[in-house]
Amino acid sequence: MKNPDYLLKCTQLIEDKMQSGPSSDWIDYNYTMLHDQIFEATKISISVRTLKRIFKVNDNYEPQIATKNAMAQYLGYKDWAFFLKEKF
């Protein structure tokens, strides 16, 4: 699996956790809610703009490891490496 595939799996799990429907239907409010939830869970701030870039399927954006770590921690994993080990 390529890294974008791992990122896609992560975003799908975040969509499920958010229970706000598919991210393709999200508006600014949803991204702001996700930002707030990630910060509350991890004390790491991911900008709304970065979240939008990550969740756009057609965008080839590759987030920094700190961003991927925060998303993995939001999902309950220690970090990105543990997320990859557990899911793949």
Side-chain angles (χ1 to χ4, degrees):
M1 244 180 200
K2 298 181 295 187
N3 201 34
D5 294 334
Y6 298 130
L7 195 57
L8 181 59
K9 180 64 173 175
C10 181
T11 58
Q12 289 170 340
L13 291 170
I14 289 172
E15 285 179 2
D16 292 346
K17 184 172 182 171
M18 288 280 297
Q19 297 181 345
S20 295
S23 60
S24 59
D25 295 338
W26 287 6
I27 58 174
D28 286 345
Y29 172 81
N30 301 101
Y31 290 103
T32 300
M33 290 297 298
L34 178 57
H35 165 271
D36 293 346
Q37 288 181 18
I38 290 173
F39 183 77
E40 185 177 315
T42 68
K43 303 302 180 225
I44 299 169
S45 179
I46 302 175
S47 74
V48 169
R49 181 178 178 191
T50 297
L51 290 170
K52 287 179 179 181
R53 291 184 73 188
I54 291 168
F55 280 82
K56 287 190 178 196
V57 176
N58 295 330
D59 196 345
N60 289 326
Y61 178 69
E62 178 62 34
Q64 296 180 18
I65 189 64
T67 301
K68 292 189 276 192
N69 283 340
M71 293 190 314
Q73 289 171 12
Y74 172 70
L75 290 171
Y77 299 93
K78 180 180 175 187
D79 58 23
W80 185 249
F82 274 81
F83 169 76
L84 294 179
K85 184 177 179 182
E86 184 85 14
K87 288 293 178 187
F88 304 97

